[in-house]
Amino acid sequence: MKKIVSAILVIALVAICFFAGSLVRPKATVEEAAPVEQPVITDTHSDDGRTVIGISMPDRLLERWNKDGAYLRAQFEKRGYEVLLRYSNNLIDTQVDGILEMIKEGADLLVIAAVDGAALSDVLNVAKASNVPVIAYDRLIMDSDVVDYYVSFDNYKVGVLQAEYVIRVLNLMYTEETKRIEFVSGDPVDNNAKFFYQGAKDTLDPFFKDGKLVSLSGQLGFYETSTSQWSTDLAQQRLQIILNSYYPDNVRLDAVLCANDSTALGAVRALESDYTSANHVAVTGQDADIANIYNIIEGTQGMTVFKALREESVVTVALGEYLLKGIYPGEELISSSDFDFKCSFNTTDYDNGKKIVSSYLLEPITVTKDNIEKQLFESGYYRRNSAGLIYAAK
Ligand code: GAL
């Protein structure tokens, strides 16, 4: 009997061990490793005697980013910082790799103008793990709580200025006629483009509602009017299709609201090649690119929105110096700096999906044939050489 009982006990013991074992978390095997930790780049930047600024720009194709990169480098180097400047050819992976490289090279601060604002979350987690503060430059970086600040222009106001120009030139406040407009919006992955579009649309909507403004193509939404990579060619092709489909044989078009100068170049080329009416079409833009300054002087483009990029880099450098000291400023950055331009501090409007990003916003300016000399040449932003050709002052 005893033998039977002990046998039962042994079997029970074995069974208990077997089942108990199945409740104990098995030793992690390779494929079931612990949750992925962000690769912490060794904290090379804190005590190596250098103060390194990592600057990541979208590309060199759009004229403005070359200026931004040059201004930022000059402003930081003037203050004795070492600068790493990377351009990304408008490729997300190139930008991510470039940012990672700069962290490894010891960047103490990152200044990033995103190619795609929603594509940097992982690499910014590496920056966080390496205690590197991050300034989103000009374009808000989305879906990341690692972004410390955003420095840009009031992007919604850019769209408002473009729309106000159209209202004025088409006399929408007083005309009895119905006017016709088409939209050419920006890159759908550029968060700014949505603000430009919304500012313009909100300003023009009352005129659509009272029938004073129509779009014969019916293309009024952001995505259906957007232009991948701000491409001049894509803007031109899309508008050529619209002109041939909806404005043939002298059907009049009164305005094309383009979100920036590279798309405005495409619109002007489409109007030159495929628009058959004799009337002048009001074309808007943004960035005061040199080719578009010529078009404004000649009259094929009506206006551009000028953003004094030097101001954007001055604010970024002033903010960067606070962050390098571990100080996270508010309004006091503006009052404590010798800014000779208007700058506002915004803590409500720029929700990047993870946090409301504190932002410093600058004022965009409408430039037309009437004020181009004062705003662009007398201000020293542009010069003419002896042949009369325009170039951007350093
Ligand atoms: C936007 C930027 C504009 C313009 C555009 C591309 O993000 O804010 O100034 O540069 O990209 O032309």
Side-chain angles (χ1 to χ4, degrees):
M1 180 59 172
K2 264 188 182 179
K3 277 184 183 171
I4 293 170
V5 171
S6 49
I8 290 169
L9 281 174
V10 166
I11 291 167
L13 196 59
V14 167
I16 287 169
C17 289
F18 174 75
F19 284 114
S22 66
L23 298 179
V24 173
R25 185 176 167 70
K27 191 172 171 338
T29 54
V30 173
E31 57 273 10
E32 294 170 313
V36 175
E37 295 298 320
Q38 287 304 337
V40 177
I41 311 290
T42 48
D43 211 358
T44 54
H45 64 88
S46 55
D47 54 7
D48 54 11
R50 306 150 58 222
T51 306
V52 180
I53 315 295
I55 300 171
S56 175
M57 290 282 119
D59 70 287
R60 289 187 175 281
L61 279 177
L62 288 174
E63 190 176 303
R64 69 153 293 174
W65 302 119
N66 294 290
K67 292 180 208 155
D68 294 277
Y71 278 130
L72 283 164
R73 181 198 285 276
Q75 298 281 346
F76 275 114
E77 286 180 343
K78 199 163 67 177
R79 285 161 178 74
Y81 298 105
E82 185 182 331
V83 172
L84 303 172
L85 174 58
R86 296 276 195 289
Y87 284 90
S88 314
N89 296 326
N90 249 346
L91 298 170
I92 295 168
D93 291 350
T94 305
Q95 183 159 52
V96 170
D97 294 346
I99 293 168
L100 211 45
E101 265 170 34
M102 294 192 288
I103 296 172
K104 286 177 183 168
E105 289 174 37
D108 295 278
L109 170 73
L110 286 172
V111 177
I112 302 170
V115 171
D116 174 343
L120 299 177
S121 307
D122 289 346
V123 72
L124 291 190
N125 284 334
V126 177
K128 183 178 185 178
S130 307
N131 301 314
V132 180
V134 177
I135 296 174
Y137 180 86
D138 194 81
R139 294 175 173 173
L140 187 58
I141 294 173
M142 308 303 289
D143 305 331
S144 168
D145 61 2
V146 179
V147 184
D148 294 293
Y149 286 87
Y150 175 44
V151 176
S152 192
F153 284 82
D154 182 338
N155 296 303
Y156 183 88
K157 184 167 182 187
V158 168
V160 171
L161 292 176
Q162 292 167 340
E164 286 175 346
Y165 172 79
V166 167
I167 291 166
R168 182 158 47 83
V169 168
L170 270 52
N171 191 31
L172 291 178
M173 297 293 284
Y174 307 103
T175 182
E176 292 306 317
E177 269 189 286
T178 294
K179 303 286 185 165
R180 300 185 185 118
I181 188 170
E182 295 296 334
F183 287 84
V184 180
S185 301
D187 188 338
V189 298
D190 176 350
N191 192 61
N192 284 358
K194 300 177 182 73
F195 278 88
F196 304 146
Y197 168 83
Q198 205 56 54
K201 196 68 174 45
D202 292 350
T203 307
L204 292 176
D205 264 352
F207 299 98
F208 279 101
K209 286 192 174 67
D210 69 15
K212 281 210 185 153
L213 204 50
V214 294
S215 162
L216 295 188
S217 73
Q219 296 174 21
L220 293 170
F222 172 66
Y223 288 101
E224 63 185 331
T225 58
S226 64
T227 312
S228 177
Q229 306 224 342
W230 297 92
S231 160
T232 295
D233 292 342
L234 290 177
Q236 178 179 347
Q237 289 155 20
R238 178 175 161 265
L239 200 55
Q240 282 169 325
I241 293 168
I242 287 174
L243 291 172
N244 286 289
S245 309
Y246 301 97
Y247 299 89
D249 315 323
N250 298 324
V251 172
R252 200 191 71 256
L253 170 64
D254 298 294
V256 182
L257 194 141
C258 297
N260 85 319
D261 281 350
S262 62
T263 54
L265 279 185
V268 166
R269 289 174 190 166
L271 289 165
E272 282 166 351
S273 63
D274 290 65
Y275 181 58
T276 52
S277 297
N279 71 294
H280 175 75
V281 181
V283 176
T284 68
Q286 171 190 188
D287 287 337
D289 287 352
I290 289 175
N292 303 77
I293 295 172
Y294 283 111
N295 283 353
I296 289 170
I297 292 167
E298 283 163 20
T300 53
Q301 179 172 335
M303 66 83 81
T304 186
V305 175
F306 175 54
K307 303 178 359 179
L309 304 178
R310 180 188 59 80
E311 295 173 8
E312 203 169 12
S313 60
V314 167
V315 174
T316 300
V317 172
L319 172 58
E321 296 207 288
Y322 270 83
L323 294 175
L324 288 167
K325 295 175 194 139
I327 304 168
Y328 289 72
E331 288 284 355
E332 71 274 18
L333 172 82
I334 300 169
S335 49
S336 68
S337 307
D338 53 350
F339 294 166
D340 57 355
F341 45 79
K342 193 177 168 215
C343 178
S344 61
F345 183 56
N346 181 304
T347 56
T348 53
D349 296 346
Y350 288 89
D351 180 346
N352 81 343
K354 290 287 185 198
K355 64 186 280 191
I356 306 282
V357 183
S358 296
S359 305
Y360 292 97
L361 300 176
L362 294 156
E363 280 296 294
I365 300 167
T366 293
V367 168
T368 64
K369 206 169 184 174
D370 302 334
N371 68 346
I372 205 163
E373 283 301 323
K374 177 175 180 292
Q375 292 296 348
L376 300 185
F377 292 92
E378 288 167 24
S379 64
Y381 269 93
Y382 289 94
R383 297 255 191 281
R384 290 185 182 86
N385 64 19
S386 52
L389 298 176
I390 299 168
Y391 65 96
K394 289 284 173 252

